[in-house]
Short mmCIF file of all heavy atoms in Angstrom, two decimals:
data_model
loop_
_atom_site.label_atom_id
_atom_site.label_comp_id
_atom_site.label_asym_id
_atom_site.label_seq_id
_atom_site.Cartn_x
_atom_site.Cartn_y
_atom_site.Cartn_z
N GLY A 260 82.59 169.22 111.15
CA GLY A 260 82.16 170.62 111.33
C GLY A 260 80.89 170.98 110.50
O GLY A 260 80.47 170.21 109.66
N HIS A 261 80.34 172.06 110.85
CA HIS A 261 79.18 172.64 110.12
C HIS A 261 79.74 173.60 109.06
O HIS A 261 80.25 174.73 109.50
CB HIS A 261 78.18 173.33 111.18
CG HIS A 261 76.79 173.24 110.57
ND1 HIS A 261 76.03 172.16 110.57
CD2 HIS A 261 76.08 174.33 110.03
CE1 HIS A 261 74.82 172.43 109.95
NE2 HIS A 261 74.86 173.74 109.67
N ASN A 262 79.65 173.29 107.70
CA ASN A 262 80.48 173.90 106.78
C ASN A 262 81.91 173.64 107.08
O ASN A 262 82.72 174.55 107.26
CB ASN A 262 80.15 175.49 106.65
CG ASN A 262 78.82 175.70 106.12
OD1 ASN A 262 78.33 175.14 105.12
ND2 ASN A 262 78.04 176.53 106.85
N ALA A 263 82.29 172.33 107.16
CA ALA A 263 83.44 171.90 107.68
C ALA A 263 84.75 172.38 107.05
O ALA A 263 85.76 172.61 107.67
CB ALA A 263 83.54 170.33 107.68
N HIS A 264 84.67 172.58 105.73
CA HIS A 264 85.94 173.12 105.11
C HIS A 264 86.26 174.51 105.48
O HIS A 264 87.50 174.90 105.36
CB HIS A 264 85.80 173.00 103.46
CG HIS A 264 86.04 171.56 103.10
ND1 HIS A 264 85.14 170.68 102.79
CD2 HIS A 264 87.24 170.85 102.92
CE1 HIS A 264 85.72 169.46 102.36
NE2 HIS A 264 86.94 169.63 102.50
N PHE A 265 85.35 175.36 105.94
CA PHE A 265 85.59 176.64 106.46
C PHE A 265 86.60 176.48 107.63
O PHE A 265 87.51 177.10 107.70
CB PHE A 265 84.35 177.29 106.77
CG PHE A 265 84.61 178.62 107.36
CD1 PHE A 265 84.66 179.77 106.68
CD2 PHE A 265 84.70 178.79 108.81
CE1 PHE A 265 84.88 181.07 107.20
CE2 PHE A 265 84.82 180.04 109.43
CZ PHE A 265 84.96 181.16 108.58
N ASP A 266 86.14 175.61 108.59
CA ASP A 266 86.99 175.38 109.77
C ASP A 266 88.34 174.75 109.38
O ASP A 266 89.33 175.19 110.04
CB ASP A 266 86.22 174.46 110.82
CG ASP A 266 84.91 175.08 111.16
OD1 ASP A 266 84.78 175.87 112.06
OD2 ASP A 266 83.88 174.62 110.53
N LEU A 267 88.28 173.75 108.50
CA LEU A 267 89.56 173.11 108.07
C LEU A 267 90.49 174.06 107.45
O LEU A 267 91.70 174.05 107.66
CB LEU A 267 89.25 171.88 107.20
CG LEU A 267 90.45 171.08 106.74
CD1 LEU A 267 91.10 170.42 108.03
CD2 LEU A 267 90.09 170.08 105.65
N ASN A 268 90.02 174.90 106.60
CA ASN A 268 90.89 175.89 105.92
C ASN A 268 91.59 176.82 106.88
O ASN A 268 92.80 177.16 106.75
CB ASN A 268 90.07 176.73 104.92
CG ASN A 268 89.83 175.94 103.68
OD1 ASN A 268 90.45 174.99 103.31
ND2 ASN A 268 88.66 176.30 102.96
N PHE A 269 90.85 177.28 107.82
CA PHE A 269 91.52 178.21 108.86
C PHE A 269 92.47 177.40 109.83
O PHE A 269 93.58 177.90 110.06
CB PHE A 269 90.46 178.88 109.82
CG PHE A 269 89.85 180.17 109.26
CD1 PHE A 269 88.74 180.26 108.44
CD2 PHE A 269 90.61 181.33 109.52
CE1 PHE A 269 88.38 181.39 107.94
CE2 PHE A 269 90.25 182.55 109.00
CZ PHE A 269 89.00 182.64 108.18
N LEU A 270 92.06 176.16 110.01
CA LEU A 270 93.02 175.31 110.82
C LEU A 270 94.29 175.03 110.05
O LEU A 270 95.41 175.15 110.55
CB LEU A 270 92.32 174.06 111.23
CG LEU A 270 93.06 173.13 112.11
CD1 LEU A 270 93.21 173.66 113.61
CD2 LEU A 270 92.27 171.75 112.28
N ASN A 271 94.09 174.64 108.84
CA ASN A 271 95.31 174.34 107.97
C ASN A 271 96.20 175.60 107.79
O ASN A 271 97.37 175.47 107.77
CB ASN A 271 94.86 173.72 106.59
CG ASN A 271 94.45 172.35 106.81
OD1 ASN A 271 94.80 171.62 107.83
ND2 ASN A 271 93.81 171.88 105.70
N ALA A 272 95.56 176.69 107.66
CA ALA A 272 96.36 177.96 107.53
C ALA A 272 97.20 178.26 108.73
O ALA A 272 98.33 178.70 108.65
CB ALA A 272 95.42 179.20 107.19
N ALA A 273 96.52 178.02 109.91
CA ALA A 273 97.35 178.38 111.18
C ALA A 273 98.43 177.23 111.30
O ALA A 273 99.61 177.60 111.75
CB ALA A 273 96.40 178.21 112.36
N VAL A 274 98.24 176.07 110.93
CA VAL A 274 99.28 174.97 110.96
C VAL A 274 100.41 175.37 109.96
O VAL A 274 101.62 175.28 110.42
CB VAL A 274 98.70 173.64 110.60
CG1 VAL A 274 99.77 172.59 110.31
CG2 VAL A 274 97.71 173.14 111.63
N ALA A 275 100.08 175.95 108.84
CA ALA A 275 101.11 176.33 107.89
C ALA A 275 101.92 177.55 108.43
O ALA A 275 103.13 177.55 108.36
CB ALA A 275 100.51 176.63 106.59
N ARG A 276 101.27 178.55 109.07
CA ARG A 276 101.88 179.68 109.54
C ARG A 276 102.88 179.41 110.61
O ARG A 276 103.95 179.98 110.71
CB ARG A 276 100.87 180.66 110.11
CG ARG A 276 100.20 181.47 109.09
CD ARG A 276 99.41 182.75 109.76
NE ARG A 276 98.33 182.36 110.63
CZ ARG A 276 97.04 182.08 110.26
NH1 ARG A 276 96.77 182.19 108.95
NH2 ARG A 276 96.23 181.72 111.12
N THR A 277 102.51 178.41 111.54
CA THR A 277 103.39 178.07 112.63
C THR A 277 104.29 176.93 112.33
O THR A 277 105.08 176.51 113.20
CB THR A 277 102.44 177.68 113.84
OG1 THR A 277 101.61 176.56 113.53
CG2 THR A 277 101.60 178.77 114.24
N ASN A 278 104.27 176.38 111.11
CA ASN A 278 105.02 175.26 110.72
C ASN A 278 104.86 174.06 111.67
O ASN A 278 105.77 173.44 112.18
CB ASN A 278 106.57 175.65 110.63
CG ASN A 278 107.38 174.63 109.92
OD1 ASN A 278 106.81 173.94 109.07
ND2 ASN A 278 108.63 174.52 110.30
N HIS A 279 103.63 173.85 112.11
CA HIS A 279 103.31 172.82 113.15
C HIS A 279 103.44 171.51 112.59
O HIS A 279 102.93 171.15 111.49
CB HIS A 279 101.94 172.95 113.67
CG HIS A 279 101.62 172.45 115.11
ND1 HIS A 279 101.73 171.13 115.36
CD2 HIS A 279 101.42 173.11 116.19
CE1 HIS A 279 101.46 170.98 116.58
NE2 HIS A 279 101.26 172.16 117.15
N LYS A 280 104.23 170.56 113.23
CA LYS A 280 104.51 169.27 112.76
C LYS A 280 103.72 168.18 113.30
O LYS A 280 103.90 166.99 112.95
CB LYS A 280 106.04 168.93 113.06
CG LYS A 280 107.06 169.96 112.47
CD LYS A 280 106.99 169.97 110.96
CE LYS A 280 108.09 170.89 110.45
NZ LYS A 280 107.95 171.05 108.88
N ARG A 281 102.84 168.45 114.24
CA ARG A 281 102.00 167.39 114.89
C ARG A 281 100.53 167.66 114.77
O ARG A 281 99.79 167.48 115.71
CB ARG A 281 102.45 167.25 116.34
CG ARG A 281 103.97 167.05 116.58
CD ARG A 281 104.26 166.47 117.92
NE ARG A 281 103.72 165.16 118.13
CZ ARG A 281 103.54 164.71 119.36
NH1 ARG A 281 104.02 165.25 120.49
NH2 ARG A 281 103.11 163.45 119.58
N ASN A 282 100.06 167.99 113.62
CA ASN A 282 98.69 168.15 113.32
C ASN A 282 98.00 166.90 113.23
O ASN A 282 98.34 166.00 112.40
CB ASN A 282 98.51 168.95 111.97
CG ASN A 282 97.01 169.13 111.56
OD1 ASN A 282 96.00 168.84 112.42
ND2 ASN A 282 96.75 169.61 110.46
N PRO A 283 97.03 166.54 114.08
CA PRO A 283 96.45 165.20 114.11
C PRO A 283 95.41 164.96 113.12
O PRO A 283 94.88 163.79 112.99
CB PRO A 283 95.87 164.95 115.55
CG PRO A 283 95.50 166.46 115.88
CD PRO A 283 96.63 167.27 115.28
N PHE A 284 94.93 166.06 112.47
CA PHE A 284 93.84 165.89 111.57
C PHE A 284 94.22 165.57 110.14
O PHE A 284 95.31 165.92 109.60
CB PHE A 284 93.09 167.28 111.44
CG PHE A 284 92.30 167.64 112.75
CD1 PHE A 284 92.87 168.39 113.75
CD2 PHE A 284 91.02 167.10 112.99
CE1 PHE A 284 92.18 168.67 114.91
CE2 PHE A 284 90.28 167.41 114.11
CZ PHE A 284 90.92 168.15 115.09
N HIS A 285 93.26 164.80 109.46
CA HIS A 285 93.39 164.57 108.14
C HIS A 285 93.53 165.91 107.34
O HIS A 285 92.68 166.81 107.67
CB HIS A 285 92.25 163.73 107.59
CG HIS A 285 92.48 163.15 106.18
ND1 HIS A 285 92.44 163.91 105.08
CD2 HIS A 285 92.72 161.84 105.79
CE1 HIS A 285 92.73 163.14 104.02
NE2 HIS A 285 92.85 161.90 104.47
N PRO A 286 94.40 166.09 106.41
CA PRO A 286 94.59 167.38 105.83
C PRO A 286 93.48 167.81 104.89
O PRO A 286 93.38 169.07 104.61
CB PRO A 286 95.85 167.24 104.95
CG PRO A 286 95.90 165.66 104.66
CD PRO A 286 95.40 165.11 105.80
N PHE A 287 92.59 166.93 104.34
CA PHE A 287 91.54 167.43 103.55
C PHE A 287 90.16 166.77 103.57
O PHE A 287 89.20 167.31 103.22
CB PHE A 287 91.98 167.40 102.01
CG PHE A 287 92.36 166.01 101.58
CD1 PHE A 287 91.55 165.07 101.04
CD2 PHE A 287 93.76 165.78 101.46
CE1 PHE A 287 91.89 163.81 100.67
CE2 PHE A 287 94.25 164.53 101.03
CZ PHE A 287 93.30 163.55 100.62
N SER A 288 90.11 165.56 104.24
CA SER A 288 88.81 164.94 104.29
C SER A 288 88.08 165.38 105.56
O SER A 288 88.74 165.66 106.59
CB SER A 288 89.01 163.43 104.42
OG SER A 288 89.51 162.87 103.30
N VAL A 289 86.83 165.54 105.53
CA VAL A 289 85.99 165.99 106.54
C VAL A 289 84.66 165.21 106.59
O VAL A 289 84.19 164.59 105.58
CB VAL A 289 85.61 167.45 106.44
CG1 VAL A 289 86.94 168.32 106.51
CG2 VAL A 289 84.81 167.83 105.16
N PHE A 290 83.91 165.27 107.75
CA PHE A 290 82.42 165.05 107.89
C PHE A 290 81.76 166.36 108.03
O PHE A 290 82.12 167.04 108.92
CB PHE A 290 82.23 164.07 108.94
CG PHE A 290 82.82 162.64 108.86
CD1 PHE A 290 83.09 161.92 109.94
CD2 PHE A 290 83.08 162.10 107.61
CE1 PHE A 290 83.64 160.67 109.84
CE2 PHE A 290 83.60 160.85 107.61
CZ PHE A 290 83.95 160.09 108.70
N ASP A 291 80.68 166.50 107.31
CA ASP A 291 80.09 167.89 107.30
C ASP A 291 78.58 167.70 107.82
O ASP A 291 77.80 166.98 107.21
CB ASP A 291 79.99 168.51 105.95
CG ASP A 291 79.74 170.07 106.09
OD1 ASP A 291 79.06 170.47 106.88
OD2 ASP A 291 80.26 170.78 105.22
N THR A 292 78.33 168.33 108.96
CA THR A 292 76.91 168.21 109.51
C THR A 292 75.87 169.02 108.77
O THR A 292 74.75 168.91 109.03
CB THR A 292 76.92 168.70 110.97
OG1 THR A 292 77.53 170.01 111.15
CG2 THR A 292 77.69 167.66 111.82
N VAL A 293 76.33 169.81 107.87
CA VAL A 293 75.31 170.47 106.87
C VAL A 293 74.70 169.38 106.13
O VAL A 293 73.45 169.37 105.98
CB VAL A 293 76.01 171.55 105.95
CG1 VAL A 293 75.16 171.93 104.89
CG2 VAL A 293 76.52 172.70 106.73
N THR A 294 75.52 168.49 105.61
CA THR A 294 74.91 167.31 104.89
C THR A 294 74.02 166.47 105.71
O THR A 294 72.93 165.96 105.39
CB THR A 294 76.00 166.48 104.14
OG1 THR A 294 76.80 167.35 103.35
CG2 THR A 294 75.49 165.33 103.34
N LEU A 295 74.66 166.06 106.89
CA LEU A 295 73.83 165.22 107.80
C LEU A 295 72.58 165.88 108.17
O LEU A 295 71.53 165.10 108.22
CB LEU A 295 74.80 164.93 109.06
CG LEU A 295 76.11 164.14 108.76
CD1 LEU A 295 76.77 163.87 110.12
CD2 LEU A 295 75.70 162.73 108.11
N GLY A 296 72.57 167.06 108.57
CA GLY A 296 71.36 167.79 109.02
C GLY A 296 70.43 167.96 107.91
O GLY A 296 69.23 167.73 108.17
N GLY A 297 70.88 168.07 106.69
CA GLY A 297 69.92 168.18 105.60
C GLY A 297 69.31 166.93 105.23
O GLY A 297 68.18 166.77 104.94
N VAL A 298 70.15 165.80 105.29
CA VAL A 298 69.59 164.43 104.97
C VAL A 298 68.54 163.99 106.11
O VAL A 298 67.56 163.47 105.87
CB VAL A 298 70.64 163.46 104.87
CG1 VAL A 298 70.11 162.00 104.78
CG2 VAL A 298 71.47 163.80 103.56
N ALA A 299 68.96 164.16 107.33
CA ALA A 299 68.27 163.66 108.50
C ALA A 299 67.05 164.46 108.86
O ALA A 299 65.92 164.02 109.18
CB ALA A 299 69.13 163.57 109.77
N PHE A 300 67.13 165.92 108.77
CA PHE A 300 66.01 166.64 109.23
C PHE A 300 65.49 167.70 108.25
O PHE A 300 64.68 168.47 108.51
CB PHE A 300 66.52 167.41 110.43
CG PHE A 300 66.98 166.50 111.54
CD1 PHE A 300 68.30 166.42 111.94
CD2 PHE A 300 66.13 165.67 112.25
CE1 PHE A 300 68.80 165.56 112.90
CE2 PHE A 300 66.58 164.85 113.23
CZ PHE A 300 67.86 164.78 113.55
N GLY A 301 66.15 167.76 106.95
CA GLY A 301 65.85 168.79 106.05
C GLY A 301 66.18 170.11 106.38
O GLY A 301 65.64 171.16 105.94
N GLN A 302 67.20 170.27 107.30
CA GLN A 302 67.68 171.57 107.81
C GLN A 302 69.24 171.62 107.61
O GLN A 302 69.92 170.70 107.95
CB GLN A 302 67.38 171.83 109.14
CG GLN A 302 65.88 171.69 109.55
CD GLN A 302 65.20 172.94 109.00
OE1 GLN A 302 65.86 174.00 108.54
NE2 GLN A 302 63.79 172.98 109.01
N THR A 303 69.74 172.79 107.07
CA THR A 303 71.13 172.93 106.84
C THR A 303 71.69 174.11 107.67
O THR A 303 72.93 174.08 107.88
CB THR A 303 71.39 173.32 105.33
OG1 THR A 303 70.68 174.37 104.97
CG2 THR A 303 71.06 172.05 104.44
N VAL A 304 70.93 174.92 108.23
CA VAL A 304 71.35 175.93 109.17
C VAL A 304 71.59 175.26 110.56
O VAL A 304 70.66 174.50 111.00
CB VAL A 304 70.31 177.05 109.30
CG1 VAL A 304 70.77 178.09 110.37
CG2 VAL A 304 70.17 177.82 107.97
#
Side-chain angles (χ1 to χ4, degrees):
H261 205 75
N262 293 309
H264 277 104
F265 177 88
D266 302 278
L267 183 64
N268 285 335
F269 271 94
L270 185 64
N271 283 343
V274 167
R276 279 193 299 270
T277 59
N278 195 28
H279 205 293
K280 301 300 186 184
R281 302 195 68 193
N282 178 7
F284 288 95
H285 193 288
F287 55 83
S288 291
V289 298
F290 294 155
D291 200 326
T292 52
V293 170
T294 302
L295 296 180
V298 171
F300 304 110
Q302 299 290 349
T303 58
V304 174

